Amino acid sequence: MLIRFVRMTFQEDRLADFLSIFDASKAKIRAFPGCQHLELLRDLDQPNVRMSHSHWESAEALEAYRQSDLFRTTWAATKVLFADKPVAFSTETVEVVQNPH
């Protein structure tokens, strides 16, 4: 499984626009083949920063999404709202530590 994070800093007066885009596309993204999890996070110290956190079956599944019309149209509408360059990275779980109690 691939875990993807995308940190996005928005122009303060355009955050509502992004939230509308996300609201309109989130169910379609979550239903995209290979997407196992999707959530939107808010930075507690910077109110105009959001981070998407998604889980994908594989790098190929993520790449298929990134080549889709859904991604292209959503990203085109989103990237014009940025105040800074987004930061994206993919990870995989190395270890999960359980509470011993």
Side-chain angles (χ1 to χ4, degrees):
M1 178 178 53
L2 180 147
I3 302 167
R4 180 81 168 173
F5 292 94
V6 182
R7 185 180 190 277
M8 302 165 285
T9 304
F10 292 96
Q11 300 168 44
E12 290 182 24
D13 61 337
R14 303 302 301 271
L15 183 58
D17 295 332
F18 165 70
L19 295 175
S20 293
I21 293 166
F22 185 80
D23 193 50
S25 61
K26 63 188 178 187
K28 295 173 192 170
I29 297 168
R30 181 59 184 87
F32 198 88
C35 182
Q36 300 175 332
H37 176 86
L38 176 65
E39 64 183 303
L40 184 64
L41 307 170
R42 180 181 63 219
D43 187 303
L44 292 176
D45 298 320
Q46 298 176 333
N48 61 322
V49 172
R50 296 294 185 273
M51 184 179 295
S52 64
H53 167 215
S54 55
H55 295 185
W56 296 86
E57 287 178 2
S58 64
E60 293 79 16
L62 173 60
E63 188 57 26
Y65 166 67
R66 295 186 73 226
Q67 297 302 318
S68 72
D69 287 339
L70 173 59
F71 175 80
R72 281 195 276 268
T73 57
T74 303
W75 192 247
T78 300
K79 68 182 183 180
V80 298
L81 309 175
F82 291 150
D84 200 359
K85 184 178 177 180
V87 177
F89 52 94
S90 298
T91 67
E92 65 181 356
T93 300
V94 174
E95 182 178 2
V96 175
V97 180
Q98 301 294 331
N99 186 335
H101 301 287

